[in-house]
Amino acid sequence: MAAASFTAAKFLVPVAARSGGERAPPLPPVGASSSSFARTLRRGGGAHHHPRLRTALAVSSDLVAGNKAAQAAATHPAVTREEALEVYEDMVLGRVFEDMCAQMYYRGKMFGFVHLYNGQEAVSTGFIKLLNQADCVVSTYRDHVHALSKGVPPRNVMAELFGKATGCCRGQGGSMHMFSAPHNLLGGFAFIGEGIPVATGAAFAAKYRHEVLKESGPDGLDVTLAFFGDGTCNNGQFFECLNMAQLWKLPIVFVVENNLWAIGMSHLRATSDPEIWKKGPSFGMPGVHVDGMDVLKVREVAKEAIERARRGEGPTLVECETYRFRGHSLADPDELRKPDEKTHYAARDPITALKKYIIEENLATESELKSIEKKIDDVVEEAVEFADASPHPPRSQLLENVFADPKGFGIGPDGKYRCEDPKFTQGTAQV
């Protein structure tokens, strides 16, 4: 794996790529070109050739307290007009949709916990918009925008949040459990780390289809993206699945959305080594750190990670350092994070930054971008109207997806299987 592949990020060579007894190759100095780093690797340069890279882009309140690490030069990879507008539209859709969710939650249209994605749009868009339809996405409880990026219609996502029968899970999933088989969105998962084994299994299935059943498409293997947060990276499933994925060279990308806080726990206080990306090489896979507030840098790293997975070269661990602009959920008053920290990241809004880049590079005019924003406003308004007018699920739906065999509901007082009682299947029988 050539270091030059990941030009927008910090890169650590897998342990498996080193010969026995050799010192670990150096990390590239801040601001150094990836090509010069690649040359150092080829000639076997040790850590004594370069000063050790300082701590990863500072995390949590450390950043605004003055302990700033040097950041890579703010250069952006090339992007076409069509790509830029697609990315901008998807990010705006995510932001506007989540803002509307907040309104609907406080109006009593949604129930339970609702976790919004504001601020993290560059990660979802940067990765998911590069996927094919057959590729899979496994999300977390913060899953609305992942669903939108994967192509699930906004009206069906909103209806699901409203608990309506027209939702993508017919109203049975809600905010934390988005699922869509046609879009290969394999779910949001409420427990942290819960989705990583599912994603690993999906990647194994893709490899089995490719190598045994010979069913893959001409582009190569179907790829799975596993999204999870920084708090998950201290859980056992994370390490077990990294090992299994590398052992079998599975076509999966592990995407860490490091928003610096696990609910109210600072990442720095909970993790012995806060640089999550370094855990990849321990299992023999590339580890990459990227600025998760810059969608073009995320997109560049994502493209290489997805392509190498599709070629059968195995998994990649990508740490995207990002930030959520709201509390952990809409029930969180968000009093633990320092105001200056929140202000710092708000000034790095990924959508504002992309808009500025598009205009400065003459990829589109401000009026064209405003037209996209107006279009998205209309789409989200229509989604709310659709969800509000949709019916609630019938009571009988409660009995579906419980037992593979309806006889599993057992035998009633009359000695007959309950599933044979029409009132029971309609959800009106007294049990």
Side-chain angles (χ1 to χ4, degrees):
M1 175 63 198
S5 300
F6 291 105
T7 55
K10 298 173 188 170
F11 173 83
L12 194 59
V13 173
V15 174
R18 309 174 194 153
S19 59
E22 184 180 350
R23 295 184 68 180
L27 297 175
V30 173
S33 68
S34 58
S35 58
S36 66
F37 181 46
R39 288 195 297 272
T40 303
L41 292 177
R42 285 196 293 271
R43 66 174 178 256
H48 57 283
H49 287 293
H50 290 282
R52 180 170 177 78
L53 187 68
R54 287 189 286 168
T55 304
L57 200 60
V59 292
S60 191
S61 301
D62 220 28
L63 194 148
V64 290
N67 183 22
K68 297 184 180 181
Q71 299 184 24
T75 56
H76 292 88
V79 63
T80 67
R81 168 185 161 86
E82 291 71 23
E83 290 170 340
L85 294 182
E86 178 192 34
V87 167
Y88 184 74
E89 181 171 328
D90 191 65
M91 292 176 71
V92 171
L93 172 60
R95 179 69 59 85
V96 174
F97 188 93
E98 295 291 71
D99 285 343
M100 182 61 76
C101 285
Q103 292 186 43
M104 294 300 106
Y105 177 86
Y106 292 126
R107 292 182 189 178
K109 297 292 185 179
M110 300 175 187
F111 304 94
F113 287 101
V114 176
H115 307 82
L116 300 186
Y117 200 75
N118 298 54
Q120 301 182 201
E121 296 89 354
V123 182
S124 179
T125 299
F127 270 92
I128 297 177
K129 299 313 287 185
L130 293 172
L131 296 180
N132 299 331
Q133 191 280 332
D135 296 329
C136 295
V137 168
V138 178
S139 185
T140 66
Y141 46 75
R142 206 178 301 278
D143 57 355
H144 316 159
V145 176
H146 292 158
L148 296 172
S149 292
K150 194 62 172 74
V152 183
R155 52 167 35 197
N156 299 121
V157 178
M158 189 66 75
E160 188 60 37
L161 286 158
F162 277 44
K164 297 300 185 70
T166 54
C168 55
C169 297
R170 299 189 301 160
Q172 288 184 271
S175 172
M176 295 188 282
H177 300 285
M178 295 291 165
F179 175 89
S180 177
H183 299 89
N184 285 307
L185 174 69
L186 303 186
F189 291 86
F191 289 95
I192 64 169
E194 187 181 23
I196 302 178
V198 174
T200 305
F204 175 81
K207 182 158 185 170
Y208 188 88
R209 287 195 302 270
H210 180 76
E211 295 186 355
V212 179
L213 303 181
K214 310 297 182 185
E215 291 180 355
S216 286
D219 295 335
L221 286 83
D222 297 331
V223 176
T224 299
L225 298 182
F227 290 93
F228 49 93
D230 48 287
T232 298
C233 297
N234 295 321
N235 283 19
Q237 302 102 311
F238 169 66
F239 297 101
E240 293 170 17
C241 291
L242 286 184
N243 179 66
M244 185 175 292
Q246 179 61 22
L247 183 65
W248 292 338
K249 289 289 189 291
L250 299 183
I252 183 170
V253 183
F254 297 99
V255 185
V256 187
E257 297 187 282
N258 182 1
N259 62 23
L260 315 182
W261 290 84
I263 307 181
M265 174 59 72
S266 166
H267 178 54
L268 283 179
R269 295 183 61 200
T271 305
S272 58
D273 185 348
E275 295 179 290
I276 300 169
W277 58 287
K278 289 182 177 179
K279 293 177 170 65
S282 300
F283 294 90
M285 70 179 70
V288 185
H289 176 282
V290 67
D291 180 358
M293 304 298 277
D294 187 327
V295 68
L296 299 183
K297 290 181 179 179
V298 171
R299 182 180 169 89
E300 185 182 20
V301 168
K303 184 177 181 180
E304 175 57 24
I306 291 169
E307 286 179 354
R308 67 183 301 274
R310 206 177 297 287
R311 293 191 300 263
E313 296 176 18
T316 304
L317 174 64
V318 181
E319 177 186 0
C320 303
E321 190 173 321
T322 182
Y323 200 77
R324 52 175 164 80
F325 290 166
R326 292 178 178 267
H328 173 69
S329 74
L330 287 175
D332 175 14
D334 195 21
E335 296 172 344
L336 296 174
R337 300 186 299 175
K338 293 182 178 179
D340 54 350
E341 177 184 307
K342 290 187 275 189
T343 301
H344 171 82
Y345 280 100
R348 300 191 61 229
D349 188 315
I351 297 177
T352 302
L354 178 63
K355 183 174 185 177
K356 181 174 182 288
Y357 173 82
I358 289 174
I359 293 173
E360 288 180 349
E361 296 296 318
N362 296 316
L363 295 173
T365 63
E366 188 163 0
S367 63
E368 288 177 301
L369 298 183
K370 286 187 179 298
S371 296
I372 290 175
E373 294 162 11
K374 175 62 168 61
K375 170 188 170 183
I376 295 303
D377 286 341
D378 293 342
V379 167
V380 174
E381 288 286 350
E382 191 277 334
V384 170
E385 294 171 3
F386 173 80
D388 205 32
S390 294
H392 289 284
R395 293 182 65 180
S396 59
Q397 192 173 307
L398 287 169
L399 304 179
E400 298 180 24
N401 307 314
V402 178
F403 294 104
D405 184 346
K407 292 181 179 179
F409 287 109
I411 297 174
D414 58 0
K416 297 180 180 179
Y417 282 107
R418 287 194 174 96
C419 62
E420 296 174 355
D421 179 355
K423 289 186 177 180
F424 184 80
T425 56
Q426 292 168 11
T428 58
Q430 296 296 319
V431 179

